[in-house]
Amino acid sequence: MLFCPRPAAALLLLVLLPFAALAGEDALPLKIDRSFRMLPALTEQPVAFISAQRIEARQDQALEATGAVELRQGSQIIHADHLRYGQESRDVLAEGNVSLEHEGGQIQGPRLQMNLDSNLGEMSSPAFRFRENRSRGLASVLHISGKQQYSFADASYTTCPAGNDDWLLKMSRLNIDRAAQVGVAYHARIEFLGVPLLYTPWMDFGLNTRKRSGFLGPVIGSTNSGGAEITVPYFWNIAPNLDMTFAPRAIAKRGTQFNNELRYLDTALGGEMHLDVLSGDRVRNINRSRAAWKHGQNLGHGFYAAWNLNSVSDDAYFRDLSDTVNSTSQTNLLRDGSIAYGGGWWTASARVQRFQTLQDPLAPVAIPYRRQPQFNLNAQQPLAAGNVTLQAEYVDFRHPSALNGQRMVFYPSASYPLSNEPGYFLTPKLGLHHTSYTFSGNTPAAARTLPIFSLDGGLLFERNDSLLGNAYMQTLEPRAYYVKVPYRAQDQLPVFDTAQAPFSFSQMFTENRFLGSDRIGDADMLTLALTSRMIDEEDGTERLRVAAAERFSFRTPQVNLVIPAAANYRSDIILSLGGQLTHAWKLDSLAQYNPNMGYTETYSMAARYSPEAGKLLNLGYRYTRNTLRQMDISTQWPLVRRWQGLGRLNYSLLDNRILEALVGLEYNQDCWALRLVGQSFTTATRVRTTGLFLQLELNDMVRLGSDPLATLRSSVFGYTKLNDAPVEKPSAGLR
C-alpha cells in the first residue's frame, strides 16, 4: 500500500464522498479489507508504502493496520502483526513479530517505536543480524539514532551461525555505525565456550574487511632463545593510502622490542618502511635494531626510481630474533638504489648497490663486490625482417680486501628468423662481445673481444588422441641449438660477479655457460632436445610432459672457473617428467645423468596429492652426488571430526640431521579455529631455533596467541586456511 504523510486531497475527496452524509465530528472510520493505497503528496519527504490484511484510517489521524503488515520507505522495511502510523507526526508503533530490515541486515523484536522523518526510535529485546560479516546478536534494548546508527544495551555479538554460541562478545553497550562499518563495544568481554578470555573497557572492530585503526589481536609465543613473549600490535589507518603498525614485543629473556612499520601507496609511488629496536638485549648485552626501506616511484616521462635499503645492528640479529626460516637464512642484506628510463625501443638505468654481510663464525660467507655505480643500456630495433640488439654496461666494482676495478661491456648482435611459421622456426644470430677492464693501482688494463654465433631451430607436431575415454592433444617437439664461440685465454681477467651457471634444461639453450660477463665460455656445441606433451582438450591442462636433452661438444671447452673440464664430447643428459596427472596428483621430476661415467649426477622428485582443499600431501627428494641427499615431506590432512594434522620433515640423509621439523594440530569450527604448531629449524651451523605457536582465531573478530599462518604457508606448500569466510547462505533465523 502506498502512503504519504499528507494525503492527496483529490483522492481523499473521492474516497470519502460516500460517507459524507454520515460524516460529522464523530465520522465513521474508513475500513478497507484489502490493499490500501494513497498517492504521495507534492512534498520533499520520503514516500512510504503500507500494505496489510486490514487497514483503518481517519482523515488527519492515525492509521492502524493489522495482519501481515509491511511498511516500506526507501531501502527500509518494517514487518509486524499490528502497526499504528501517525499521518501528521510520522510516528510508527509496531507490535508483534516486528522486523526492521535494511540493506545491511535485519533486526527483530516484539515492539518498535520509530519516527520515519528523524529515524529515531527504540526496540525492546532485539535480535539482529548484519550481512557484511554474517554477524548476529541479542540485546535488551535497541536505540535507533539514524538510518545507519544503532545502539544496543546489554548486548551479545558473534559471527557464529544461528544455533551456535561457541564464542560471544558480551558488553554493556554496543554502538553500530553501518555508514562507517564500525562497531564500538563498552565494558566488553570475550567468552569462548562459556569461559571469559579477554576483558577491555573499550574496543572497536570493523564490520567488513576494509582496514581501520585499532588494536590487533595479541601475539603470544615462546622460543628457546628468547623464552615466552607477547606482542600487542596497534594499527593506525592514517589515510586510505597510508597506514602504520606499532607492535611492541615483550621477550622474557631479552627485554622489549619495538617494531614499527609504515606503508604507503599512491598512483605513482609505493613502499614500506620498518624500524625495529631492542635496547639492552639482556642475553647479549647490546642494543639491537633493524631498519628497512623499500620504495618505487614513477617519475613520469619514462623515468622510474627505486631503492631497497636494509640494515641490522649485528650478524646474529635474525638468528636470535626471527621465528621464520626465510629470515634466519639471510646472509647478504641488499642496499640498492636505481633510476631507469624506458624510451620505447631502448632503456637505460643507473644503479648503486652494496650489501651488509651477516657472518656465521662457523661458516664464513664471502663478501660480494659493491657496484658504485653501474650503468646499463639496452636497445632493440627491427631491421628489414630481422632484429638488431645492443647490450652495454659499465660497472665500478669495489671491495674492502680484493682487487678493485671497472668493467665495460659492449655487445651488439643481430638475429634473422629464416622461418617463423606455426609448426617450425629457425633463427640464426651473430654478435660481437667486447669486455674491457681498468684497475686501481699498478695492475694493467685488460680486454677481451669474442664473436658469438648461434642457430636455434625446432619443429612442432600435433595429433589428437584419447586415453581412458579422455580426449588429448599430443605433441612432439624436437629442437636443436648450435652455438659457436672461439677460445680466448681469460685466466688473467678478474671475477667480480660471475659464477658457473647451474646445468639445466634451459641453460643448454644459452650462449654462455657462465652467469655474468667476466667469463665467456668457448663453445662449439650442439644441443638436441625432444619434448612431448599430452594436453587435455577439455580444459587445456598439461597432463603429462616428457623431455630429454643433451649437449654435444665438437671440441673440449677450455675456459673454466674452478677446475678444467674433462675431455668429454657429450654433456650430461637432462631428463624431465611431470604434469597434472589427475585432478589430485601433480608430479615434477628432473634427473641429470652422466653418460661418460655411467652414474647419475643429480635428480629431484616432487609429487603432490591434493584431492580437495584441506587434504594435501607433498613428497620430495633431492640428490646431488657426494653433496646432497634430502627428503622433504609435508602434509595437511583431516584426522577425526574437525581436527586437521599438519607436519613437515626436511631431513638430510647425508648428515643424519633434521633441517626443519614442524608438527601441528588445527581444529576448525564454523566460526573459530584453534592451531597448535611446534617448529624447529637450523639457523646457523650447530644452532637451532625452536618455536611453539598456539592461536585461537575467532572469525572476523580477533586472533589470540602466536600466529603460525606465515610459518604454515612457507613450510607446508599449498596449505589452505579452512576458516576463511565462506559464501553467505540464507539464515533461517536470528536466534
PDB file of all heavy atoms in Angstrom, residues 471-473 475 533-544 579-580:
ATOM      1  N   ALA A 471      39.848 -37.127 -24.227  1.00  0.00           N
ATOM      2  CA  ALA A 471      40.453 -36.648 -25.468  1.00  0.00           C
ATOM      3  C   ALA A 471      41.672 -35.789 -25.142  1.00  0.00           C
ATOM      4  O   ALA A 471      41.611 -34.910 -24.270  1.00  0.00           O
ATOM      5  CB  ALA A 471      39.439 -35.848 -26.267  1.00  0.00           C
ATOM      6  N   TYR A 472      42.780 -36.038 -25.837  1.00  0.00           N
ATOM      7  CA  TYR A 472      44.023 -35.310 -25.609  1.00  0.00           C
ATOM      8  C   TYR A 472      44.610 -34.855 -26.938  1.00  0.00           C
ATOM      9  O   TYR A 472      44.351 -35.445 -27.996  1.00  0.00           O
ATOM     10  CB  TYR A 472      45.063 -36.195 -24.908  1.00  0.00           C
ATOM     11  CG  TYR A 472      44.681 -36.602 -23.517  1.00  0.00           C
ATOM     12  CD1 TYR A 472      44.083 -37.842 -23.277  1.00  0.00           C
ATOM     13  CD2 TYR A 472      44.924 -35.766 -22.435  1.00  0.00           C
ATOM     14  CE1 TYR A 472      43.727 -38.232 -22.001  1.00  0.00           C
ATOM     15  CE2 TYR A 472      44.576 -36.145 -21.147  1.00  0.00           C
ATOM     16  CZ  TYR A 472      43.979 -37.370 -20.940  1.00  0.00           C
ATOM     17  OH  TYR A 472      43.628 -37.743 -19.676  1.00  0.00           O
ATOM     18  N   MET A 473      45.404 -33.797 -26.858  1.00  0.00           N
ATOM     19  CA  MET A 473      46.256 -33.415 -27.972  1.00  0.00           C
ATOM     20  C   MET A 473      47.692 -33.758 -27.582  1.00  0.00           C
ATOM     21  O   MET A 473      48.204 -33.276 -26.561  1.00  0.00           O
ATOM     22  CB  MET A 473      46.147 -31.922 -28.278  1.00  0.00           C
ATOM     23  CG  MET A 473      47.014 -31.492 -29.453  1.00  0.00           C
ATOM     24  SD  MET A 473      46.904 -29.725 -29.800  1.00  0.00           S
ATOM     25  CE  MET A 473      47.802 -29.065 -28.385  1.00  0.00           C
ATOM     26  N   THR A 475      51.741 -33.744 -28.444  1.00  0.00           N
ATOM     27  CA  THR A 475      52.714 -33.006 -29.239  1.00  0.00           C
ATOM     28  C   THR A 475      54.045 -33.742 -29.251  1.00  0.00           C
ATOM     29  O   THR A 475      54.374 -34.498 -28.326  1.00  0.00           O
ATOM     30  CB  THR A 475      52.940 -31.589 -28.681  1.00  0.00           C
ATOM     31  OG1 THR A 475      53.652 -31.673 -27.438  1.00  0.00           O
ATOM     32  CG2 THR A 475      51.626 -30.861 -28.463  1.00  0.00           C
ATOM     33  N   ARG A 533      54.198 -33.623 -25.038  1.00  0.00           N
ATOM     34  CA  ARG A 533      53.181 -33.242 -24.053  1.00  0.00           C
ATOM     35  C   ARG A 533      51.856 -33.889 -24.408  1.00  0.00           C
ATOM     36  O   ARG A 533      51.539 -34.085 -25.585  1.00  0.00           O
ATOM     37  CB  ARG A 533      52.998 -31.714 -24.020  1.00  0.00           C
ATOM     38  CG  ARG A 533      54.279 -30.918 -23.931  1.00  0.00           C
ATOM     39  CD  ARG A 533      53.991 -29.430 -24.099  1.00  0.00           C
ATOM     40  NE  ARG A 533      55.181 -28.686 -24.456  1.00  0.00           N
ATOM     41  CZ  ARG A 533      55.993 -28.089 -23.589  1.00  0.00           C
ATOM     42  NH1 ARG A 533      55.695 -28.148 -22.301  1.00  0.00           N
ATOM     43  NH2 ARG A 533      57.066 -27.452 -23.982  1.00  0.00           N
ATOM     44  N   MET A 534      51.082 -34.154 -23.361  1.00  0.00           N
ATOM     45  CA  MET A 534      49.691 -34.578 -23.533  1.00  0.00           C
ATOM     46  C   MET A 534      48.827 -33.511 -22.882  1.00  0.00           C
ATOM     47  O   MET A 534      48.873 -33.312 -21.658  1.00  0.00           O
ATOM     48  CB  MET A 534      49.447 -35.949 -22.904  1.00  0.00           C
ATOM     49  CG  MET A 534      50.149 -37.076 -23.643  1.00  0.00           C
ATOM     50  SD  MET A 534      49.663 -38.715 -23.044  1.00  0.00           S
ATOM     51  CE  MET A 534      47.955 -38.765 -23.584  1.00  0.00           C
ATOM     52  N   ILE A 535      48.036 -32.826 -23.700  1.00  0.00           N
ATOM     53  CA  ILE A 535      47.237 -31.686 -23.252  1.00  0.00           C
ATOM     54  C   ILE A 535      45.765 -32.062 -23.312  1.00  0.00           C
ATOM     55  O   ILE A 535      45.261 -32.500 -24.355  1.00  0.00           O
ATOM     56  CB  ILE A 535      47.521 -30.453 -24.119  1.00  0.00           C
ATOM     57  CG1 ILE A 535      49.017 -30.097 -24.039  1.00  0.00           C
ATOM     58  CG2 ILE A 535      46.666 -29.272 -23.681  1.00  0.00           C
ATOM     59  CD1 ILE A 535      49.445 -28.999 -24.976  1.00  0.00           C
ATOM     60  N   ASP A 536      45.102 -31.899 -22.190  1.00  0.00           N
ATOM     61  CA  ASP A 536      43.677 -32.207 -22.102  1.00  0.00           C
ATOM     62  C   ASP A 536      42.901 -31.232 -22.977  1.00  0.00           C
ATOM     63  O   ASP A 536      42.963 -30.017 -22.791  1.00  0.00           O
ATOM     64  CB  ASP A 536      43.215 -32.093 -20.646  1.00  0.00           C
ATOM     65  CG  ASP A 536      41.853 -32.739 -20.416  1.00  0.00           C
ATOM     66  OD1 ASP A 536      41.001 -32.612 -21.308  1.00  0.00           O
ATOM     67  OD2 ASP A 536      41.656 -33.342 -19.350  1.00  0.00           O
ATOM     68  N   GLU A 537      42.168 -31.763 -23.956  1.00  0.00           N
ATOM     69  CA  GLU A 537      41.448 -30.893 -24.885  1.00  0.00           C
ATOM     70  C   GLU A 537      40.261 -30.198 -24.227  1.00  0.00           C
ATOM     71  O   GLU A 537      39.793 -29.169 -24.710  1.00  0.00           O
ATOM     72  CB  GLU A 537      40.969 -31.703 -26.094  1.00  0.00           C
ATOM     73  CG  GLU A 537      42.102 -32.140 -27.011  1.00  0.00           C
ATOM     74  CD  GLU A 537      41.595 -32.675 -28.330  1.00  0.00           C
ATOM     75  OE1 GLU A 537      40.370 -32.923 -28.438  1.00  0.00           O
ATOM     76  OE2 GLU A 537      42.397 -32.826 -29.262  1.00  0.00           O
ATOM     77  N   GLU A 538      39.795 -30.729 -23.108  1.00  0.00           N
ATOM     78  CA  GLU A 538      38.628 -30.131 -22.461  1.00  0.00           C
ATOM     79  C   GLU A 538      38.979 -28.829 -21.755  1.00  0.00           C
ATOM     80  O   GLU A 538      38.258 -27.835 -21.865  1.00  0.00           O
ATOM     81  CB  GLU A 538      38.025 -31.116 -21.462  1.00  0.00           C
ATOM     82  CG  GLU A 538      36.772 -30.592 -20.781  1.00  0.00           C
ATOM     83  CD  GLU A 538      36.149 -31.606 -19.859  1.00  0.00           C
ATOM     84  OE1 GLU A 538      36.544 -32.792 -19.920  1.00  0.00           O
ATOM     85  OE2 GLU A 538      35.250 -31.224 -19.083  1.00  0.00           O
ATOM     86  N   ASP A 539      40.085 -28.798 -21.011  1.00  0.00           N
ATOM     87  CA  ASP A 539      40.419 -27.601 -20.242  1.00  0.00           C
ATOM     88  C   ASP A 539      41.829 -27.079 -20.487  1.00  0.00           C
ATOM     89  O   ASP A 539      42.252 -26.105 -19.862  1.00  0.00           O
ATOM     90  CB  ASP A 539      40.239 -27.860 -18.744  1.00  0.00           C
ATOM     91  CG  ASP A 539      41.062 -29.051 -18.254  1.00  0.00           C
ATOM     92  OD1 ASP A 539      41.925 -29.531 -19.008  1.00  0.00           O
ATOM     93  OD2 ASP A 539      40.833 -29.489 -17.110  1.00  0.00           O
ATOM     94  N   GLY A 540      42.593 -27.699 -21.397  1.00  0.00           N
ATOM     95  CA  GLY A 540      43.932 -27.216 -21.723  1.00  0.00           C
ATOM     96  C   GLY A 540      44.997 -27.562 -20.709  1.00  0.00           C
ATOM     97  O   GLY A 540      46.133 -27.058 -20.802  1.00  0.00           O
ATOM     98  N   THR A 541      44.701 -28.410 -19.728  1.00  0.00           N
ATOM     99  CA  THR A 541      45.678 -28.787 -18.711  1.00  0.00           C
ATOM    100  C   THR A 541      46.756 -29.681 -19.318  1.00  0.00           C
ATOM    101  O   THR A 541      46.463 -30.601 -20.083  1.00  0.00           O
ATOM    102  CB  THR A 541      44.991 -29.528 -17.551  1.00  0.00           C
ATOM    103  OG1 THR A 541      43.998 -28.681 -16.985  1.00  0.00           O
ATOM    104  CG2 THR A 541      45.992 -29.910 -16.483  1.00  0.00           C
ATOM    105  N   GLU A 542      48.009 -29.409 -18.965  1.00  0.00           N
ATOM    106  CA  GLU A 542      49.115 -30.252 -19.395  1.00  0.00           C
ATOM    107  C   GLU A 542      49.167 -31.467 -18.478  1.00  0.00           C
ATOM    108  O   GLU A 542      49.688 -31.414 -17.368  1.00  0.00           O
ATOM    109  CB  GLU A 542      50.435 -29.476 -19.332  1.00  0.00           C
ATOM    110  CG  GLU A 542      51.620 -30.239 -19.903  1.00  0.00           C
ATOM    111  CD  GLU A 542      52.912 -29.449 -19.825  1.00  0.00           C
ATOM    112  OE1 GLU A 542      53.511 -29.408 -18.728  1.00  0.00           O
ATOM    113  OE2 GLU A 542      53.303 -28.855 -20.837  1.00  0.00           O
ATOM    114  N   ARG A 543      48.608 -32.577 -18.946  1.00  0.00           N
ATOM    115  CA  ARG A 543      48.512 -33.773 -18.124  1.00  0.00           C
ATOM    116  C   ARG A 543      49.851 -34.485 -17.987  1.00  0.00           C
ATOM    117  O   ARG A 543      50.142 -35.079 -16.947  1.00  0.00           O
ATOM    118  CB  ARG A 543      47.481 -34.740 -18.713  1.00  0.00           C
ATOM    119  CG  ARG A 543      46.051 -34.236 -18.665  1.00  0.00           C
ATOM    120  CD  ARG A 543      45.599 -34.031 -17.243  1.00  0.00           C
ATOM    121  NE  ARG A 543      44.223 -33.559 -17.158  1.00  0.00           N
ATOM    122  CZ  ARG A 543      43.651 -33.137 -16.045  1.00  0.00           C
ATOM    123  NH1 ARG A 543      44.353 -33.135 -14.917  1.00  0.00           N
ATOM    124  NH2 ARG A 543      42.403 -32.722 -16.043  1.00  0.00           N
ATOM    125  N   LEU A 544      50.672 -34.438 -19.023  1.00  0.00           N
ATOM    126  CA  LEU A 544      51.956 -35.136 -18.966  1.00  0.00           C
ATOM    127  C   LEU A 544      52.956 -34.405 -19.856  1.00  0.00           C
ATOM    128  O   LEU A 544      52.617 -33.959 -20.953  1.00  0.00           O
ATOM    129  CB  LEU A 544      51.801 -36.594 -19.425  1.00  0.00           C
ATOM    130  CG  LEU A 544      53.046 -37.468 -19.310  1.00  0.00           C
ATOM    131  CD1 LEU A 544      53.432 -37.655 -17.844  1.00  0.00           C
ATOM    132  CD2 LEU A 544      52.809 -38.828 -19.972  1.00  0.00           C
ATOM    133  N   GLY A 579      53.727 -33.135 -14.770  1.00  0.00           N
ATOM    134  CA  GLY A 579      52.419 -32.755 -15.277  1.00  0.00           C
ATOM    135  C   GLY A 579      51.352 -32.928 -14.220  1.00  0.00           C
ATOM    136  O   GLY A 579      51.567 -33.509 -13.149  1.00  0.00           O
ATOM    137  N   GLN A 580      50.162 -32.399 -14.520  1.00  0.00           N
ATOM    138  CA  GLN A 580      48.983 -32.568 -13.668  1.00  0.00           C
ATOM    139  C   GLN A 580      48.332 -33.882 -14.075  1.00  0.00           C
ATOM    140  O   GLN A 580      47.442 -33.925 -14.929  1.00  0.00           O
ATOM    141  CB  GLN A 580      48.018 -31.394 -13.844  1.00  0.00           C
ATOM    142  CG  GLN A 580      46.841 -31.395 -12.892  1.00  0.00           C
ATOM    143  CD  GLN A 580      47.224 -31.040 -11.478  1.00  0.00           C
ATOM    144  OE1 GLN A 580      47.939 -30.071 -11.244  1.00  0.00           O
ATOM    145  NE2 GLN A 580      46.744 -31.820 -10.523  1.00  0.00           N
TER     146      GLN A 580
END
